[in-house]
Amino acid sequence: MENSGIVLTSRIRLARNLKNYKFPLKMTGEESNNVVEEVKNAVDRQNLNYKLTYMRDLSDVEKSVMVEKHLISPALAEKKETGAFLLSNDEKVSIMINEEDHIRIQTLGTGMSLKECWELSNKIDDVLEEEVDYAFDRELGYVTACPTNIGTGMRASVMVHLPALSITNQIEKLLIGISQLGVAVRGVYGEGTKSMGHLYQISNQGTLGASEETLIDKISQIVAQIVEKEERMRAHLKKNNLYEIEDDCYRAYGLLTNARRMSTEEAMKLLSLLKLGKEMEIIDKAKDKDIYRLMVKIQPNNILSSTDTELTTKERDKMRAEIIRNELLEN
Amino acid sequence: MENSGIVLTSRIRLARNLKNYKFPLKMTGEESNNVVEEVKNAVDRQNLNYKLTYMRDLSDVEKSVMVEKHLISPALAEKKETGAFLLSNDEKVSIMINEEDHIRIQTLGTGMSLKECWELSNKIDDVLEEEVDYAFDRELGYVTACPTNIGTGMRASVMVHLPALSITNQIEKLLIGISQLGVAVRGVYGEGTKSMGHLYQISNQGTLGASEETLIDKISQIVAQIVEKEERMRAHLKKNNLYEIEDDCYRAYGLLTNARRMSTEEAMKLLSLLKLGKEMEIIDKAKDKDIYRLMVKIQPNNILSSTDTELTTKERDKMRAEIIRNELLEN
């Protein structure tokens, strides 16, 4: 499963709050700064060597790039005055401060690595707990600003790439079925549940009444089922619709390597097909290319951040096409 | 004008009938054979060395290939029992026998070459006239089966490629204007006036009351005007919409060189855009390729004729994509 390319990234996020402060929404500017200071000092004392960045020191584009790279949440980017985050050098750990809760520890991993992410999050959580006083209730567990996060305060998310289920219109039914299991599914880089590039995020809905390990096992099992469905659909396509799917994938490659302008949405769709073709071994192109990395690179703000000048949508579409051509055609 | 690639081919067709026979529609099989014999003998006596082929000796596919290559008319292909034609080695001269009229002398040339085609047709006409008795009326001129051909019996046709006028939706208005000048415009390889590959055929409607030279001058002038309009539109696009048109042309190239299946209609549209891009010097691909030749090569019956086996539409679309890729990608 790890090598199929279907599971792209895993993420664990722990919501924590400090005992002696109001929730971020109710804090004054001074209190917010104190929270940042307190967390920063705790991290430093433990020699974690994470870099602190205040939201107020980032431009809108810089903030959006962080969001597109999943290093911070959109909600933190909104906290223009009071938000901050600590980031590890390898960008695998991000501690968001003054988002909805005082602290959100996030760990990122590639492929199906929820357990590794959980272990890392847990370690950082323990380390912080030595330094700060968490708000904790014996009955409920960790106290959070929003009741949906109460309990373990943990959200486990897995990003999956489901092109075969998407292009055969199986995805809707599948997602409805999954959401009935107490699991949230949403598109990545899309509005609401709208998906771009056939990317979906699977995560737990509840955080209460089960241990972190139980929740992670549940998500892992559901993801394994989805991956199996995607793999079965790919095998089905290869057996019954090879000609059509080959055509789709090669056309995608032809457009990606030739177009002179391209919207994010089109690029995501075509890159998804190219990724599928490579993994199904029906296309003999872009062999050593990391298509998912390219998907992130061509997001609107990632493109804006690569240049000093303001760009119109037209110019951005032109630059996007250029980036894709260069990336796919270089040896 | 000759080198712009806008005027593809010129064609002159002369309708002639033999004095001592009924029109083809009313002839018996024996009479039809006698007409073929008489024309064949006349040609042979003049050492013209044209090859005689009876329609009844050709398969449906072979006949359609001849039509797609414009060597015979669709109407002759319908004359399954009585039709025949004499073809010169260089395929520039085709004498159709027992089509609507007993004899139709057709000469084909590349670019704007109506005058050269007329001179050649005229020479062949004179040569034949030494051997056979034409039906001729002092007042009306050459007598033909259909009154629209009476007089000179000449039709002058020019095939033009008008992608810039087509994609900017200027073509409809232009064609309506032209048809009011007593000139017929029809799409090439399309049903009725529907065009494929932005190819149009311009020809005279009337054949009476003017000399051949006058009719040819008139068509030549109208074609020159159309060519100028197409050229002006290309200059306009290059100046104002370079980005968009470049994108269109490169996308066409990307699809043509990658797709695994392609319908005639899509192939014609994309080849037309590639041809436009080459001529506008905005695309640096397929430099030494003859795109018009490829347009003919991928017509349905041309593809069928390249293989011995029966092909489904699906198989034909696959083979078409293969032919295009091989042609455009070979060095």
Side-chain angles (χ1 to χ4, degrees), chain A residues 2 5 12 18 31 45 127 145 199 201 217 302 315-316:
Chain A
E2 264 108 308
I12 292 285
L18 302 183
E31 287 169 315
R45 278 195 301 273
V127 157
L199 297 176
Q201 195 125 277
D217 278 350
N302 267 275
E315 289 164 336
R316 196 153 61 185

Side-chain angles (χ1 to χ4, degrees), chain B residues 177-192:
Chain B
I178 291 169
S179 65
Q180 286 164 348
L181 300 172
V183 166
V185 184
R186 52 188 188 84
V188 180
Y189 297 129
E191 290 294 305

Side-chain angles (χ1 to χ4, degrees), chain A residues 51-55 58 66 71-72 76 83-87 94-97:
Chain A
K51 191 187 163 227
L52 177 69
T53 305
Y54 286 91
M55 293 326 284
L58 295 181
M66 291 288 154
L71 297 178
I72 64 172
L76 186 71
F85 66 99
L86 289 149
L87 189 66
S94 160
I95 301 175
M96 290 176 263
I97 309 172

Side-chain angles (χ1 to χ4, degrees), chain A residues 214-232:
Chain A
T214 309
L215 288 170
I216 287 172
D217 278 350
K218 185 175 164 186
I219 294 290
S220 299
Q221 277 164 28
I222 290 172
V223 168
Q225 282 170 30
I226 296 173
V227 167
E228 203 202 316
K229 278 196 169 51
E230 171 72 16
E231 278 173 342
R232 243 187 285 148

Side-chain angles (χ1 to χ4, degrees), chain A residues 243-244 246-248 250-251 253-255 258-262 266 285 314 317-318, chain B residues 243-244 246-248 250-251 253-255 258-262 266 285 314 317-318:
Chain A
Y243 172 57
E244 290 83 356
E246 224 179 12
D247 185 55
D248 286 347
Y250 270 102
R251 279 171 180 260
Y253 178 78
L255 290 173
N258 280 284
R260 260 50 192 169
R261 54 174 174 172
M262 198 168 275
E266 186 187 13
K285 303 279 186 181
K314 194 172 148 169
D317 286 355
K318 191 174 176 176
Chain B
Y243 172 56
E244 290 83 356
E246 223 179 12
D247 184 55
D248 285 347
Y250 270 102
R251 279 171 180 260
Y253 179 76
L255 290 173
N258 281 283
R260 259 51 192 169
R261 54 173 175 171
M262 197 168 275
E266 186 188 12
K285 303 277 187 185
K314 196 171 146 170
D317 285 355
K318 192 174 176 175

